[in-house]
Amino acid sequence: MLITCPYCGPRDVSEFAYQGDGNRTRPDPASTDSEAWNAYVYDRLNPAGIHNEIWQHAGGCRVHLAVVRDTLTHEISSVRFAREHGTPTHSRRNHGAKA
Amino acid sequence: MAEYSAFSLLKNALSGNRDWKPAWRKPSPKASYDVIIIGGGGHGLSTAYYLAKEFGITNVAVLEKGYLGSGNVGRNTTAVRSNYLLPQNTRFYEHSMKMWENLSHDLNYNVMFSQRGVLNLAHTPGQLDDLARKGNAMRHLGVDAELMTPVEIGRRVPGLDMSQQARFPIYGGLMQERAGTARHDAVAWGYARGADRRGVDIIENCEVTGFLRDGDRVTGVSTSRGDIRAKKVAVAVAGSTGRVMQLAGIDRMPIESHVLQAFVSESLKPFLDTVLTFGMGHFYVGQSDKGGLVYGGDLDGYNSYAQRGSLPIVEEVMSEMLALFPSLAPVRVLRSWGGVCDMSMDGSPIITTGPLPGMYLNCGWCYGGFKATPASGFCFAHTIAKDAPHEFNAPFTLDRFSRGTVIDDKGQGPTPRMH
Ligand SMILES: Cc1cc2nc3c(=O)[nH]c(=O)nc-3n(C[C@H](O)[C@H](O)[C@H](O)COP(=O)(O)OP(=O)(O)OC[C@H]3O[C@@H](n4cnc5c(N)ncnc54)[C@H](O)[C@@H]3O)c2cc1C
Ligand SMILES: [Zn+2]
């Protein structure tokens, strides 16, 4: 699998560190809504198909990336800087918004 | 008389093995059942077997989307052990171990359970202390565990590089002698045959595509072979848990699906008579009765529903094998494959009633559910029959995450690919 880093170009997946599901929204740190925290820490969409996820180009420029990848085919349809595009486009329900 | 015996083998050998009956029927689905089990893997089949055998519930269907054994029950590396740290896990897996010890007899089907031992290696003094702690925790609950010295290990596994010049020198190890391997296909076939003989319908090529509902209550399933009603619907689909629960409108679960690969080498003469795990990475190896080395390593490391793996892990696994056994460098790989694992947030399984009324859930097996097959089926059958868990699966609830009672044997935290 190749991931095209916006800085470095197409690079082998072994240069990247997987940081998991990008669909989650961290509740406000002051929030005491335990349901929202539980959803953030433990619940996953885990779709068979299009998945929003965060990768870091750990063996390269070290930037964090918001990647849209198909979990059935590993086809990558979008790679963007995570800091500029924190909110994923495909999230179906936003548990964290309650907080 | 038992269907398989020395006498029946001899008789059928003399008649050219033409008179064996198929091991299970191929029935068409009925309109309704008392219990539907989704998933014809090891756990679905053993659940059906124990429902019929232990709880007298025989109006049961097992619905399998592909052929029987096409999932992880036919893809795993067959290690069976009960060497856990936390008592909830140890009790459950030790119960399973005791069931394994009598399984061939119980099923009248040779599952080739071979107690050749599982040996965890330590490569630092700290790691050895940690294994000693685990061994003590096991022995405290009556499970066998022995700490082995490097000299003993060198004698038991002559192929290992035991020198101080090894890439990761070996300081000792923890052995569970009662652990070992079993033939995975035989486990699926033996349970299928045992359930079928007791009246369970095993329906292959029948994919569940939706749930029939009466309000919140689950009252049956839609399938590629029509709607089927049931008083109770049990889900045991391992790596497909997320997909199947989404059909029931539950779109978030404490589970991620990840791919695990495994490898078999060309056949060698007897080389390794135990199952060995490497302590400085994620690598384990055993030798099958046919002579092939059966081995594997870490997950690919990112969410995947593709039943195949990627190359970086292949490279990593091979290099870990050579760090332990430099002499294996010329041995060729025969084949490799992947299976989708239902990785839970704490590395422990879920066997529970719910989460919807009329529904029962069995999942979260990560890459260690083969050894659980007997106990999982037994406990799940108990849970379905009595609408309450058995004491051995009572800790494996779905709400343990929100209640703060997670069972994290490795202390890794809620990152499923780390368990
Ligand atoms: C490479 C690898 C190595 C492993 N090694 C070990 C090991 O050494 N020791 C160990 O203890 N464990 C091991 N495991 C884990 C073990 O194989 C699994 O935890 C266990 O097999 C899962 O339970 P199961 O047998 O019921 O799953 P499966 O056999 O996967 O059964 C689930 C079934 O559900 C079916 N299904 C899915 N969706 C639907 C649907 N919509 N409708 C109908 N049917 C459906 C699937 O087709 C499948 O047959 C390994 C796993 C892998 C992948
Ligand atoms: Zn980069």
Side-chain angles (χ1 to χ4, degrees):
Chain A
M1 193 161 94
L2 293 177
I3 298 178
T4 305
C5 172
Y7 278 140
C8 315
R11 306 300 281 257
D12 189 83
V13 64
S14 55
E15 288 186 12
F16 296 82
Y18 184 59
Q19 315 228 318
D21 191 332
N23 295 298
R24 302 177 300 145
T25 313
R26 191 189 184 101
D28 183 311
S31 163
T32 54
D33 179 346
S34 60
E35 221 180 287
W37 278 108
N38 180 64
Y40 170 71
V41 176
Y42 292 116
D43 289 349
R44 299 288 187 274
L45 276 176
N46 192 28
I50 301 297
H51 190 218
N52 295 294
E53 46 199 35
I54 307 292
W55 291 75
Q56 186 189 12
H57 195 185
C61 64
R62 303 198 60 77
V63 75
H64 284 83
L65 300 169
V67 173
V68 181
R69 183 180 58 95
D70 190 316
T71 59
L72 286 161
T73 62
H74 301 325
E75 187 185 350
I76 292 175
S77 49
S78 142
V79 183
R80 298 167 305 166
F81 294 121
R83 61 169 181 269
E84 287 166 18
H85 300 277
T87 325
T89 46
H90 290 272
S91 93
R92 282 194 264 170
R93 200 200 288 161
N94 200 342
H95 281 286
K98 261 193 272 166
Chain B
M1 192 191 57
E3 196 173 329
Y4 296 144
S5 63
F7 176 72
S8 74
L9 285 178
L10 187 67
K11 193 179 119 214
N12 280 284
L14 292 176
S15 59
N17 284 316
R18 280 183 303 261
D19 300 329
W20 291 111
K21 280 189 296 167
W24 58 89
R25 298 163 294 132
K26 301 247 179 238
S28 297
K30 295 193 277 188
S32 77
Y33 291 90
D34 288 343
V35 178
I36 284 176
I37 298 167
I38 309 174
H43 293 212
L45 294 166
S46 63
T47 303
Y49 175 78
Y50 293 113
L51 270 177
K53 179 169 182 257
E54 304 291 341
F55 302 97
I57 301 175
T58 56
N59 185 20
V60 175
V62 178
L63 310 182
E64 166 53 48
K65 76 172 173 191
Y67 62 90
L68 196 147
S70 54
N72 286 353
V73 71
R75 291 166 187 269
N76 66 75
T77 43
T78 77
V80 172
R81 55 185 177 84
S82 57
N83 55 357
Y84 282 78
L85 178 67
L86 299 179
Q88 299 95 318
N89 280 328
T90 309
R91 284 199 190 97
F92 173 79
Y93 286 105
E94 177 59 15
H95 184 62
S96 209
M97 179 67 80
K98 288 183 177 140
M99 294 177 78
W100 278 109
E101 288 174 326
N102 192 40
L103 193 59
S104 294
H105 180 76
D106 183 40
L107 294 174
N108 177 230
Y109 203 103
N110 187 0
V111 300
M112 298 169 74
F113 182 48
S114 158
Q115 292 178 296
R116 59 186 67 183
V118 169
L119 173 59
N120 306 136
L121 296 176
H123 305 272
T124 65
Q127 210 171 25
L128 191 58
D129 287 349
D130 204 41
L131 287 181
R133 172 176 174 239
K134 180 157 135 182
N136 284 332
M138 289 164 63
R139 292 176 73 126
H140 185 64
L141 289 174
V143 180
D144 69 304
E146 288 294 333
L147 215 55
M148 286 177 82
T149 64
V151 174
E152 289 167 331
I153 293 172
R155 240 184 272 132
R156 178 75 183 250
V157 190
L160 275 178
D161 183 353
M162 295 299 299
S163 69
Q164 276 301 314
Q165 285 70 52
R167 177 68 185 83
F168 298 104
I170 294 166
Y171 279 79
L174 185 68
M175 168 62 103
Q176 185 182 20
E177 291 281 4
R178 282 164 64 245
T181 59
R183 179 165 181 220
H184 51 7
D185 296 322
V187 173
W189 300 334
Y191 274 121
R193 174 173 160 279
D196 176 272
R197 293 290 189 270
R198 286 172 171 79
V200 171
D201 282 357
I202 295 167
I203 302 164
E204 294 169 85
N205 301 310
C206 181
E207 178 170 0
V208 169
T209 53
F211 286 85
L212 305 177
R213 301 279 285 268
D214 179 5
D216 247 4
R217 175 162 285 276
V218 172
T219 56
V221 292
S222 320
T223 78
S224 51
R225 299 178 65 174
D227 287 0
I228 313 174
R229 303 210 158 261
K231 292 185 193 127
K232 300 182 174 185
V233 176
V235 179
V237 295
S240 301
T241 300
R243 301 175 87 166
V244 170
M245 294 308 281
Q246 275 159 19
L247 298 176
I250 296 169
D251 61 3
R252 288 176 198 247
M253 290 281 295
I255 286 189
E256 283 183 8
S257 294
H258 286 262
V259 157
L260 183 70
Q261 305 190 54
F263 309 84
V264 168
S265 78
E266 59 187 328
S267 281
L268 306 177
K269 288 190 173 168
F271 172 75
L272 182 62
D273 71 349
T274 187
V275 178
L276 202 68
T277 74
F278 179 49
M280 278 291 119
H282 214 118
F283 171 78
Y284 62 98
V285 58
Q287 186 170 20
S288 80
D289 294 345
K290 279 194 284 188
L293 296 174
V294 180
Y295 56 103
D298 209 350
L299 297 169
D300 276 21
Y302 40 89
N303 290 48
S304 175
Y305 282 89
Q307 282 183 327
R308 61 189 156 75
S310 65
L311 290 170
I313 287 290
V314 178
E315 215 174 353
E316 189 181 305
V317 168
M318 302 302 155
S319 64
E320 287 177 325
M321 175 152 91
L322 294 188
L324 281 176
F325 296 107
S327 62
L328 290 178
V331 173
R332 283 166 296 187
V333 179
L334 204 59
R335 56 200 160 84
S336 73
W337 63 92
V340 181
C341 297
D342 39 336
M343 303 300 299
S344 69
M345 288 290 149
D346 59 0
S348 296
I350 293 160
I351 309 177
T352 183
T353 54
L356 298 173
M359 193 188 230
Y360 302 79
L361 180 62
N362 174 314
C363 64
W365 292 104
C366 302
Y367 37 66
F370 177 66
K371 64 174 117 61
T373 306
S376 165
F378 174 74
C379 289
F380 199 31
H382 182 287
T383 305
I384 295 165
K386 311 237 179 232
D387 276 301
H390 188 272
E391 63 170 300
F392 289 129
N393 68 305
F396 300 137
T397 60
L398 180 60
D399 67 3
R400 67 176 181 266
F401 302 99
S402 54
R403 294 166 60 88
T405 52
V406 294
I407 306 163
D408 187 345
D409 219 87
K410 292 191 191 156
Q412 294 282 24
T415 306
R417 67 178 184 281
M418 307 292 285
H419 289 291

